[in-house]
Amino acid sequence: MKIPVLFQYLAAAGFALLAGCGGGEPMPGVGPLEPDTDEHVYDIRVPADCDFEEDYQLVIAFHDNGQSEKQVLDWWDRGMFGSADFILLVLRAPFLGQTGYAWLPRDADPGSDTARVAAARTAEELVEIALDAVVAEYTIDEEDIILLGTGTGTDIALWMALTDPWLYDGLALLDGTGIPGWVPGVRPANAGHLDVFIAAAPGAETVATATGERFESAGALVEVHTGTAGRHDDADALGAMARFFSLSFGGQGIETGEPDTLPEGEYEEDIEP
């Protein structure tokens, strides 16, 4: 089975050593944190008629705080991406939140840039492990890897896209709160090649537009979408995202309901990847 040269290089050199290459990564001496769970957890979805000889686009997704990987898997399982023709890799945040899982430990100072960077590096380790599993089974189009973040997961997606600009080609931000100061700045060198899709619920258009303008000024191709149904994660927004990245067709006219949530203080049992 063919494994793209990019991932052969990752396996040989080590993902952690490559983090920040060309992206102006801040605080290079800050290392990852110890995760709260024993093992990194992730899950994968593939097209129903998956052709093992075909190179597929890969979407790497980061859920919102207080959720788990099932938040994004639910979108796929309910057909909200339309006729999906890509591989979806969804990661569980490595820290326990007040509800569900979080991208920052509960005892960390939320205002500390050092803590944020250390937590982001923990997520990088999670991606390394999950990518190894994906490329062992499927062939990936190494020139079309897309990062998707929803809610606070957008911060992790931004970090990775701007820190490793040579590795990722697309960025989908669903209802984020803008570009945090602890991630590398948006510049032509690390963002000019990106295709960027931003979805915001009504009332959050100003932040979404400002984020889009920063990427556009760096040379990125940008689409800002405001959901007609009042959500950033409905079939209207997800279908528009799929069409923007040529991931699938459709995604319209599907009942969305409320996203899955976890009861406060309860966690899903770890699942084997």
Side-chain angles (χ1 to χ4, degrees):
M1 177 178 295
K2 185 183 82 173
I3 297 179
V5 173
L6 170 63
F7 291 111
Q8 291 176 333
Y9 183 63
L10 280 174
F15 190 90
L17 295 177
L18 298 173
C21 179
E25 179 186 20
M27 291 178 271
V30 177
L33 302 172
E34 187 70 23
D36 290 337
T37 53
D38 292 335
E39 295 182 1
H40 289 315
V41 179
Y42 55 88
D43 208 342
I44 300 169
R45 291 289 188 272
V46 300
D49 55 350
C50 183
D51 181 353
F52 286 85
E53 298 301 320
E54 179 180 345
D55 291 353
Y56 283 93
Q57 293 168 282
L58 175 66
V59 175
I60 304 174
F62 307 94
H63 63 77
D64 197 359
N65 274 353
Q67 296 292 323
S68 75
E69 71 282 2
K70 292 186 178 180
Q71 180 187 25
V72 181
L73 295 175
D74 180 60
W75 301 343
W76 177 291
D77 294 342
R78 293 160 67 183
M80 294 170 68
F81 291 110
S83 300
D85 190 30
F86 63 97
I87 293 176
L88 176 66
L89 169 62
V90 190
L91 311 175
R92 176 184 293 182
F95 309 111
L96 298 177
Q98 297 301 324
T99 300
Y101 299 88
W103 299 104
L104 186 71
R106 286 179 290 185
D107 59 356
D109 178 2
S112 169
D113 287 353
T114 301
R116 293 285 184 181
V117 169
R121 291 216 173 93
T122 310
E124 285 181 339
E125 290 188 339
L126 192 162
V127 170
E128 176 188 3
I129 294 169
L131 278 176
D132 285 345
V134 171
V135 301
E137 296 292 334
Y138 309 100
T139 52
I140 304 301
D141 183 352
E142 64 184 60
E143 295 182 356
D144 208 347
I145 302 175
I146 299 160
L147 296 171
L148 183 157
T150 182
T152 51
T154 60
D155 290 352
I156 302 299
L158 280 163
W159 162 269
M160 293 194 177
L162 298 173
T163 301
D164 298 311
W166 58 272
L167 182 55
Y168 303 112
D169 307 281
L171 180 62
L173 305 173
L174 308 182
D175 199 36
T177 55
I179 304 172
W182 54 270
V183 307
V186 178
R187 304 183 301 276
N190 66 351
H193 67 291
L194 289 171
D195 294 337
V196 181
F197 179 87
I198 303 170
E205 297 96 338
T206 300
V207 172
T209 299
T211 300
E213 289 174 349
R214 289 185 64 179
F215 277 99
E216 283 183 333
S217 67
L221 175 66
V222 177
E223 178 177 324
V224 177
H225 178 87
T226 54
T228 56
R231 297 192 63 87
H232 66 278
D233 58 354
D234 58 14
D236 178 57
L238 295 173
M241 187 207 82
R243 289 188 295 276
F244 177 75
F245 291 113
S246 300
L247 296 169
S248 65
F249 299 94
Q252 300 284 351
I254 301 170
E255 290 188 16
T256 61
E258 293 295 322
D260 290 342
T261 57
L262 298 175
E264 185 172 357
E266 295 185 10
Y267 305 94
E268 299 178 48
E269 294 182 0
D270 282 352
I271 58 174
E272 291 295 328

